[in-house]
Amino acid sequence: MANLRAFNHTVNVVAYCKDNKKYAATIAWGMQVDYDKVVLLMGSQSVTGNNIEKDDIIGVSALNKDQISTANQLGDNHSSEVDKLNGILVNTEGSAITIKDASREMIVKVIDVLHLEKIEEDNLIYGEVISIKENNDSFLNYIEYLDKEWNLET
């Protein structure tokens, strides 16, 4: 079941500033789970995910179809190695950073960081959406992104 594609998620970005350091990562596994709650699964290799703690305020952006290059840039390297946001237009609100003109730009308060059985090393971020800016409905979805950028079959 390594190639299970049960859901078609949007390509999302988690970004924030903490201790004068910018963090940003592209994620596929993000989902709204209540009217104002989201969950975001960030792998153990993610420097961005590993630095998120309860009560942090982070930016979450659902990219639009014209932001493939942004997804690629933020998916390369680690935030500890380079400024992944260099050259990308962003909006900031406190510690939260969102990608300008993404389909959705959300400011999220982290309620908890969970480590569930069989994915203990990963970070399941549970958060409350404090504010949202809805720019358009032209979402970049993950399966289309894989097909276009990585030539993978669906």
Side-chain angles (χ1 to χ4, degrees):
M1 293 249 262
N3 292 321
L4 175 66
R5 292 186 180 185
F7 302 100
N8 189 2
H9 300 281
T10 56
V11 178
N12 307 290
V13 170
V14 173
Y16 58 94
C17 185
K18 187 174 193 178
D19 299 324
N20 296 316
K21 173 78 177 137
K22 290 180 188 174
Y23 295 91
T26 302
I27 65 165
W29 296 311
M31 182 175 281
Q32 181 177 346
V33 293
D34 198 354
Y35 294 106
D36 63 348
K37 307 291 187 304
V38 294
V39 292
L40 314 162
L41 183 63
M42 302 188 72
S44 61
Q45 79 288 352
S46 172
V47 173
T48 301
N50 290 334
N51 281 284
I52 294 176
E53 299 174 305
K54 182 177 180 176
D55 294 324
D56 282 351
I57 305 296
I58 61 175
V60 179
S61 304
L63 297 182
N64 71 52
K65 290 182 179 185
D66 296 326
Q67 294 177 316
I68 291 175
S69 62
T70 298
N72 289 339
Q73 179 174 330
L74 294 174
D76 289 340
N77 301 308
H78 290 286
S79 293
S80 58
E81 299 169 356
V82 297
D83 178 1
K84 292 168 68 169
L85 294 166
N86 187 36
I88 295 175
L89 297 176
V90 298
N91 291 316
T92 58
E93 185 175 316
S95 60
I97 302 170
T98 59
I99 306 303
K100 185 174 175 46
D101 298 325
S103 290
R104 299 292 184 274
E105 297 180 55
M106 295 170 273
I107 308 301
V108 174
K109 180 177 182 181
V110 177
I111 296 170
D112 207 351
V113 180
L114 306 166
H115 301 278
L116 303 178
E117 185 176 339
K118 296 194 179 186
I119 58 167
E120 294 92 352
E121 67 279 359
D122 295 331
N123 298 293
L124 185 64
I125 313 300
Y126 177 49
E128 177 181 7
V129 177
I130 297 170
S131 68
I132 184 168
K133 182 177 179 187
E134 298 181 10
N135 295 316
N136 61 64
D137 288 328
S138 178
F139 294 99
L140 174 59
N141 75 59
Y142 186 64
I143 291 176
E144 286 178 1
Y145 173 72
L146 288 178
D147 290 345
K148 287 179 183 176
E149 290 304 302
W150 303 103
N151 297 317
L152 298 177
E153 294 181 15
T154 54

